[in-house]
Amino acid sequence: MGEGVDASVLVIGLNPRGAALAEALGAAAVPVTAWDESSEGDSRPDFADPSMILVCVEDYASVQRVLDQAGPQIADADVVNLTSGTSAQAEEAAARTGTRGGHYLDGALMAHPEHVGNPDTVVVYSGSAGVFERHESLLRLLGGATYLGASPGTAALYDVAMLNFAWATLIGYLQTAALLATADVPATTVTPLLTGWLSSTVSDVITDYGQQIEDGRYPGEQEWLELDAPLMDHLIDATRERGLDTALPELIKSLTARSIDAGHGKDSFASLIETIRA
């Protein structure tokens, strides 16, 4: 698993997330030096001294300033960046670190600051396998550590992909709550029904869909798009009749209609991924 937790860490960034990272490491008795990249003055930490440099600043413009300030000091240093951004920005930061002789690992923290240090907190990494292997024991002090591969931009892509999942799921919940509210069903009544359904039936469906996607086969043995399509019309009609925005159900109907036109009428709902890809 790599080094023990007696290694030292330089944490750059004292925003709420950066401070939480430093606190989680410090709570495990890891020697931590914390520095606020935005602080005034000429004092700079010794980038070459710590076992690992952990960066969590406001944006990638700040990441680039940190790398520029470090200059040749990060030659042969291990840099782990948990700043939120895009895949392209992560790849640029990796290249800039590499030109200075450093080793770069990008990461995405899928949690709020108060969840840092919880082993159930999802933190994903991509980039240098060597950095991940050398510091895995340290990284696991921040949360569950999963390595996604050598491309520096993969962790950032995972971050936005999971935001997509969260927002799509939550907007579905809000649409459902709004629709039922028109019949005086309180959100507090429907919420436990939905969360129970998510943790049982829906989670099983997603697991099944994952295998269908990997296999490239979408058997419509129990549900298929031509069966679902009329129900989508019912949803759109009910939503419109009750004076609500129909954009979400119309999007679902549009994707389904295009998939049926493409020959997936007898396939499962998972086959919509082919239309999304197209």
Side-chain angles (χ1 to χ4, degrees), residues 62-258:
S62 298
V63 173
Q64 302 297 14
R65 283 196 299 271
V66 167
L67 296 176
D68 289 343
Q69 290 166 354
Q73 290 190 70
I74 61 171
D76 208 35
D78 288 344
V79 178
V80 179
N81 180 32
L82 286 173
T83 304
S84 296
T86 67
S87 295
Q89 289 172 324
E91 290 162 1
E92 182 181 356
R96 185 166 296 202
T97 303
T99 60
R100 290 166 169 76
H103 315 286
Y104 182 88
L105 182 69
D106 203 79
L109 174 62
M110 312 299 297
H112 295 295
E114 61 267 26
H115 301 133
V116 172
N118 187 323
D120 294 328
T121 293
V122 176
V123 192
V124 296
Y125 300 91
S126 64
S128 170
V131 174
F132 183 81
E133 292 166 1
R134 285 192 289 275
H135 305 295
E136 184 176 355
S137 55
L138 287 174
L139 298 176
R140 290 197 178 279
L141 296 174
L142 309 177
T146 301
Y147 181 67
L148 300 178
S151 174
T154 303
L157 182 62
Y158 184 94
D159 190 14
V160 295
M162 290 304 292
L163 287 173
N164 172 77
F165 182 80
W167 289 331
T169 302
L170 293 174
I171 196 66
Y173 163 74
L174 296 176
Q175 184 92 16
T176 297
L179 187 58
L180 288 172
T182 65
D184 297 324
V185 178
T188 51
T189 297
V190 70
T191 296
L193 301 177
L194 289 177
T195 55
W197 186 50
L198 285 170
S199 64
S200 56
T201 303
V202 176
S203 64
D204 290 342
V205 170
I206 290 175
T207 300
D208 180 46
Y209 281 4
Q211 191 59 55
Q212 291 185 34
I213 292 168
E214 288 302 302
D215 293 342
R217 296 180 60 256
Y218 313 100
E221 297 165 351
Q222 298 182 7
E223 56 90 21
W224 54 95
L225 294 185
E226 289 179 347
L227 179 69
D228 291 337
L231 304 179
M232 295 173 188
D233 290 329
H234 298 165
L235 173 59
I236 293 171
D237 290 343
T239 302
R240 182 181 296 112
E241 289 167 0
R242 291 175 181 267
L244 301 180
D245 189 288
T246 61
L248 181 59
E250 285 177 347
L251 171 62
I252 299 169
K253 172 66 176 181
S254 173
L255 286 170
T256 301
R258 288 160 54 196

